[in-house]
Amino acid sequence: MLRPRLIPPVDIFPPNPWAIEAVRYDGRMARELTGQAETMFALSNGYLGMRGVTEEGSPVREAGTYLNGFYENRPISYGERAYGFPTVGQSILNCPDGTVMKLFVDDEPLILPDAEILSYRRILDFRGGTLNRDVRWVTPSGKRLHLRTTRLVSLAHRHLAAIAYELTAENAAAEVVITSELRNDQPLATDTSDPRMAEGFVGRVLQPTGTRSEALRAILSYRTGSSGLVLGCGMDHVVEADCALAAQAGCDDDLATVVFRGVLAPGRTIRIHKYLSYHYASGADPAEIRSQVAWTLDRAVESGFPAILARQGQETARFWERADVTVESVNPRSQQVIRWNLFQLMQASERAEGHGIAARGLTGRTYEGHYFWDTEIYVLPFLIYTNPPMARSLLKVRYDMLDSARARARELGQRGATFPWRTINGEEASAYYAAGTAQYHINADIAYALRKYVEVSGDVDFLCRYGAEILVETARLWCDLGFFSDRMDGRFCIHGVTGPDEYTAIVNNNCFTNLMARENMRYAAETVRMLKRDYPDSFDALVRRTHLDADEPEAWDQAAERMYLPYDERLKVHPQDDAFLDLEKWDFAATPEDHYPLLLHYHPLNLYRSQVIKQADTVLALFLLSEQFTLEAKRRNFAYYDPLTTHDSSLSVCIQSIVANEIGLRDKAIHYFNFAVAMDISDLGGNMMHGAHIAAMGGTWLAMIYGFAGMRDAHGRLTFNPCLPEAWTRLGFCLQVRGQTIRIEITHSTATYGLVAGAGLTLWHGEDCVRLSEATPSVTKPVGGAAGGADASAP
Ligand code: BGC
């Protein structure tokens, strides 16, 4: 189940609240943990992502450069096909790698693991938004050299990345060759033993469509065979050297190089600023894409590296101002690891406008760069409260998929819309229907996130223009998918679905799904009525676009009202589905440690016929629909499901932490939180090398804000019931609510609510109403007493 594999050794990675910093080079570790380091030091802006490979290009596990939404179609092959199985999937593509700057001293390549290192630092700088290296080494012939690199993927210009490369000869003259490359090396090999890995392509995927090169600049362009996307990528260099430096450029379809040659006298330095640009568009003219690349490079060269770096720092500072969560803890690593998570959330989302967020962001190809429900349930709350425009953009991306979702519903014989379980372009790309298409709950998850966005941001305009249409189509789906069952006393039942727990599939009345569908239908009906009453023009437009029938909202209300929720009188819990409690319990005692995750060691049928859970399912409902359960119900359900949950998905422990916290299981709450927050940094899943788990990062934020700060926000009412873990002495964070910014500071004895920007708002501290205004910009309340309400009666 949950076992740490790699806790970064403190002597190499000392705690630093603002960085992941390696202060020593360990050649063996560098070779063994290449993949982990590539993920750990990956840079991304949400549009362009580069794994943390070193400039020397070796050791390397996967030199990945990814563009959000840049994919190729691939046929999905089935041994046995059935009607409605998707036949074409999508896979994110690896783009030409421009990070390579190989170094040869006296014609010997620099290979770090083999070099005699004098000093070494590699820093992922959370404040600067950069990846920096500072290495001094001595060559076998006794020459000491000093290399400093700064790499960034620009937050200000999303098509731009830059590397500052600075080499100094310390004690002797050195003949130096630096080969700067932009190389198209794909396709990459695929690990076919792990179903989570991306499918590989056989043969060439990017078809060359021309190159352009002049002086120190080269631009390559390609077209994908089937998805019709045109890619342009290029590099340019600005050199400043204390010696004569010859430069020779070469460019063919798959490799552009500029080779710099010179003799560095002792104490002299070569500085190369390398700029990289990536653009793509559907059906574009390759020459035009190459021009776009050239313009980005022109602009970068004109600005110069120092200005680009300064701007990066400003953008990063703006992020931290909005989204930092400060924790004072007896554990000196806490703040660092928390910020690592937040930094990853920034990297996955900051410039993702117009695109979704892939399960691994842009740090790896696992799950093929697909967008899942991870975004709506795990990442969107963070964005809703810290970056509402990005939350809006992500929901708009779902709206843009609505036509495909309508078509898919028709294909599946349903009314309304069914959003794809996994996708890049809006088409269902999930081949395994039992844990894919059957997860209809994604439709309600989108509706849930939409509601939260509208309630917290107050953006009714979005609801009128786009949101209502999503709600109508998803409510229609539920109403059509379920039925009033005579055998169940006319209750509305939904059969043949899979809930979040992928170790249980195709069940009747998954409790989570039924609860979320109920919310979806209720909110849709409410919204339609609100539009009719308050926004008649939007209502008319909605009716035109959806052919909404006047009776439909009432039908949704009825289905919601009569929704069947499984309940077991004897155990006093909600069965995860109709059959779950009848299954035999999984034999955990007989399961070897190395058989987790179970999905890699047991046939699905073994899992499906047992009470064994991959990730929070009913427990997730206890959190998302918190106001619909009593504390006692939460306790009982948690107590039943927690021991059955393997947490084989990274989406699980954060949710268990939140609910454990609420029901007073403080030790469990912090235990699960520690796993959530260290998911990647400690490689708990053993697959960090394939990319960062973005939902777990979002889940970490949820566990701090909804867990330890005890926030609940059902229907726009903001309530806090804080209770810090013993090891923490302070927790502080900002939230944006309806255009205003509040800051919350929590200690073991007080909670202070401050108005940072805006005219004022009302929130609740337990049962106490707190009114913040310009006249009363800050209110402090005691924590731990009756008003704190943090479940004093808990075991
Ligand atoms: C989980 C899904 C999740 C997916 C992508 C799977 O292991 O079971 O809930 O959406 O990973 O993160």
Side-chain angles (χ1 to χ4, degrees):
M1 294 210 255
L2 296 169
R3 281 136 264 103
R5 315 208 174 199
L6 171 163
I7 301 279
V10 175
D11 63 324
I12 298 184
F13 296 96
N16 175 340
W18 283 108
I20 297 290
E21 183 180 12
V23 293
R24 184 165 71 70
Y25 193 76
D26 180 322
R28 192 186 53 85
M29 240 181 82
R31 282 218 158 93
E32 280 175 11
L33 303 175
T34 310
Q36 283 87 338
E38 286 169 5
T39 297
M40 179 133 81
F41 293 116
L43 291 177
S44 165
N45 58 17
Y47 175 81
L48 164 63
M50 292 175 161
R51 280 170 66 80
V53 286
T54 59
E55 282 75 18
E56 300 80 65
S58 137
V60 63
R61 176 158 183 127
E62 178 162 345
T65 296
Y66 312 108
L67 295 173
N68 196 344
F70 184 68
Y71 72 94
E72 175 58 316
N73 292 319
R74 57 169 183 81
I76 306 180
S77 48
Y78 300 93
E80 283 181 46
R81 235 184 236 189
Y83 170 81
F85 280 16
T87 51
V88 180
Q90 307 125 43
S91 213
I92 194 166
L93 290 177
N94 194 16
C95 296
D97 176 17
T99 56
V100 186
M101 295 180 86
K102 289 184 187 149
L103 172 64
F104 300 79
V105 178
D106 299 338
D107 295 342
E108 300 286 347
L110 167 64
I111 299 172
L112 271 192
D114 300 339
E116 192 182 330
I117 308 279
L118 300 174
S119 67
Y120 177 87
R121 273 158 74 88
R122 192 177 196 204
I123 305 168
L124 181 67
D125 177 353
F126 301 155
R127 268 190 292 215
T130 54
L131 176 63
N132 311 330
R133 259 195 326 162
D134 189 305
V135 194
R136 289 176 61 246
W137 75 103
V138 58
T139 67
S141 61
K143 294 181 183 175
R144 285 203 312 272
L145 288 117
H146 187 177
L147 174 64
R148 276 152 292 174
T149 60
T150 304
R151 185 190 295 181
L152 61 88
V153 173
S154 175
L155 297 165
H157 310 284
R158 69 177 185 166
H159 301 280
L160 176 70
I163 301 172
Y165 188 95
E166 205 171 302
L167 180 72
T168 306
E170 288 195 340
N171 64 339
E175 286 182 8
V176 169
V177 176
I178 299 162
T179 66
S180 178
E181 300 181 354
L182 178 61
R183 57 161 57 237
N184 178 31
D185 267 344
Q186 47 138 6
L188 291 165
T190 290
D191 172 3
T192 47
S193 66
D194 186 338
R196 297 166 295 185
M197 294 299 296
E199 285 276 336
F201 287 95
V202 180
R204 179 178 267 286
V205 181
L206 294 178
Q207 307 298 333
T209 53
T211 63
R212 178 170 150 179
S213 67
E214 62 212 58
L216 304 181
R217 170 180 296 190
I219 299 173
L220 312 176
S221 62
Y222 304 89
R223 183 182 278 118
T224 58
S226 165
S227 61
L229 300 178
V230 175
L231 167 73
C233 52
M235 62 174 181
D236 203 350
H237 304 81
V238 174
V239 180
E240 198 190 298
D242 298 339
C243 66
L245 204 60
Q248 198 181 359
C251 181
D252 65 26
D253 284 347
D254 290 318
L255 179 64
T257 49
V258 178
V259 180
F260 299 97
R261 246 177 344 98
V263 180
L264 258 185
R268 300 297 176 164
T269 298
I270 294 173
R271 272 178 214 92
I272 301 174
H273 291 163
K274 178 173 185 176
Y275 301 108
L276 293 161
S277 172
Y278 294 81
H279 284 261
Y280 78 87
S282 173
D285 170 5
E288 197 172 304
I289 288 281
R290 289 196 296 272
S291 297
Q292 284 173 254
V293 172
W295 298 329
T296 302
L297 293 173
D298 287 345
R299 219 169 291 127
V301 170
E302 278 159 25
S303 308
F305 191 83
I308 293 170
L309 182 66
R311 184 72 198 277
Q312 182 79 347
Q314 287 159 10
E315 294 296 324
T316 320
R318 269 199 269 279
F319 167 76
W320 290 116
E321 204 180 304
R322 296 192 316 257
D324 195 12
V325 178
T326 51
V327 165
E328 283 173 19
S329 162
V330 295
N331 180 349
R333 248 205 218 291
S334 295
Q335 185 67 77
Q336 178 181 34
V337 179
I338 287 166
R339 288 220 176 95
W340 144 264
N341 279 266
L342 299 172
F343 190 74
Q344 294 307 323
L345 285 171
M346 175 190 80
Q347 296 214 108
S349 64
E350 196 70 5
R351 297 304 310 272
E353 58 265 23
H355 301 281
I357 294 180
R360 297 289 186 271
L362 295 172
T363 64
R365 290 182 309 138
T366 306
Y367 288 127
E368 303 186 75
H370 290 162
Y371 316 136
F372 291 74
W373 71 311
D374 303 30
T375 308
E376 280 76 17
I377 295 300
Y378 290 80
V379 181
L380 263 172
F382 165 76
L383 293 171
I384 287 169
Y385 280 105
T386 62
N387 189 357
M390 186 45 64
R392 184 185 211 270
S393 166
L394 286 161
L395 289 164
K396 173 70 169 40
V397 167
R398 286 300 190 186
Y399 176 78
D400 294 338
M401 291 178 184
L402 197 50
D403 279 341
S404 300
R406 285 181 175 118
R408 178 69 174 152
R410 291 305 84 76
E411 192 177 7
L412 296 172
Q414 294 324 144
R415 295 194 65 217
T418 52
F419 282 96
W421 175 243
R422 45 190 292 180
T423 190
I424 295 177
N425 66 1
E427 309 280 326
E428 178 63 270
S430 172
Y432 184 49
Y433 75 95
T437 299
Q439 294 205 47
Y440 289 93
H441 67 85
I442 190 170
N443 298 288
D445 304 333
I446 293 170
Y448 179 91
L450 167 67
R451 178 177 202 157
K452 192 178 290 293
Y453 169 71
V454 173
E455 285 174 353
V456 176
S457 69
D459 186 356
V460 178
D461 177 64
F462 185 84
L463 189 61
C464 292
R465 284 161 65 155
Y466 311 113
E469 208 174 320
I470 296 180
L471 292 173
V472 166
E473 298 295 13
T474 46
R476 273 178 176 161
L477 166 76
W478 292 120
C479 204
D480 185 45
L481 191 65
F483 69 108
F484 295 95
S485 164
D486 291 341
R487 276 176 55 81
M488 299 299 248
D489 190 25
R491 293 271 165 195
F492 192 78
C493 294
I494 304 176
H495 288 177
V497 304
T498 298
D501 165 26
E502 294 185 351
Y503 288 171
T504 313
I506 323 277
V507 296
N508 296 340
N509 294 313
N510 168 255
C511 187
F512 174 88
T513 304
N514 287 16
L515 279 160
M516 293 291 281
R518 181 167 79 173
E519 282 306 289
N520 190 158
M521 288 191 282
R522 279 183 182 155
Y523 186 44
E526 247 173 60
T527 301
V528 167
R529 281 193 285 269
M530 189 274 288
L531 252 57
K532 189 171 180 185
R533 190 184 62 228
D534 301 338
Y535 301 91
D537 291 348
S538 300
F539 177 76
D540 291 345
L542 179 71
V543 172
R544 268 198 312 278
R545 285 199 299 267
T546 60
H547 307 292
L548 182 70
D549 199 278
D551 302 337
E552 281 187 87
E554 204 179 309
W556 305 334
D557 274 339
Q558 265 172 26
E561 191 58 33
R562 301 287 298 149
M563 181 64 76
Y564 171 70
L565 295 177
Y567 186 73
D568 185 86
E569 281 296 345
R570 198 173 53 84
L571 294 170
K572 304 219 172 340
V573 300
H574 290 286
Q576 189 172 291
D577 58 72
D578 282 354
F580 190 80
L581 297 182
D582 295 330
L583 304 176
E584 187 182 5
K585 284 196 177 160
W586 184 262
D587 190 350
F588 287 98
T591 309
E593 278 285 293
D594 61 2
H595 277 37
Y596 294 94
L598 301 181
L599 64 100
L600 296 185
H601 301 273
Y602 298 89
H603 192 282
L605 286 169
N606 289 106
L607 303 170
Y608 296 169
R609 67 168 70 93
S610 309
Q611 288 193 45
V612 59
I613 298 175
K614 184 180 180 191
Q615 64 202 92
D617 187 305
T618 309
V619 172
L620 180 58
L622 302 181
F623 161 51
L624 294 181
L625 302 171
S626 181
E627 73 287 358
Q628 300 183 20
F629 297 89
T630 62
L631 206 53
E632 185 51 27
K634 287 174 188 165
R635 284 207 182 106
R636 283 186 172 278
N637 282 283
F638 185 90
Y640 189 81
Y641 290 110
D642 188 51
L644 299 173
T645 309
T646 58
H647 310 297
D648 280 352
S649 157
S650 65
L651 280 61
S652 195
V653 275
C654 48
I655 304 302
Q656 303 287 122
S657 172
I658 295 170
V659 178
N661 212 2
E662 189 180 1
I663 61 177
L665 301 177
R666 308 277 180 241
D667 290 347
K668 215 164 228 260
I670 189 71
H671 170 76
Y672 280 140
F673 175 79
N674 287 340
F675 275 104
V677 75
M679 186 71 65
D680 279 329
I681 215 80
S682 297
D683 198 12
L684 297 179
N687 57 0
M688 174 205 191
M689 68 178 90
H690 302 308
H693 296 77
I694 302 303
M697 314 278 172
T700 297
W701 186 87
L702 296 175
M704 291 188 286
I705 309 306
Y706 289 88
F708 300 125
M711 182 170 93
R712 290 295 179 271
D713 52 5
H715 312 316
R717 180 182 155 130
L718 210 56
T719 310
F720 295 86
N721 274 307
C723 183
L724 296 191
E726 240 166 64
W728 296 9
T729 47
R730 184 177 287 272
L731 168 67
F733 55 92
C734 285
L735 301 175
Q736 294 180 35
V737 181
R738 292 183 286 282
Q740 322 205 41
T741 305
I742 53 172
R743 177 156 187 87
I744 292 118
E745 289 278 347
I746 299 164
T747 67
H748 285 287
S749 51
T750 59
T752 301
Y753 303 94
L755 186 65
V756 179
L761 55 79
T762 300
L763 52 84
W764 276 261
H765 173 78
E767 295 302 315
D768 287 1
C769 181
V770 174
R771 288 201 172 83
L772 298 176
S773 63
E774 281 166 13
T776 316
S778 173
V779 172
T780 298
K781 292 280 178 184
V783 167
D791 189 19
S793 62

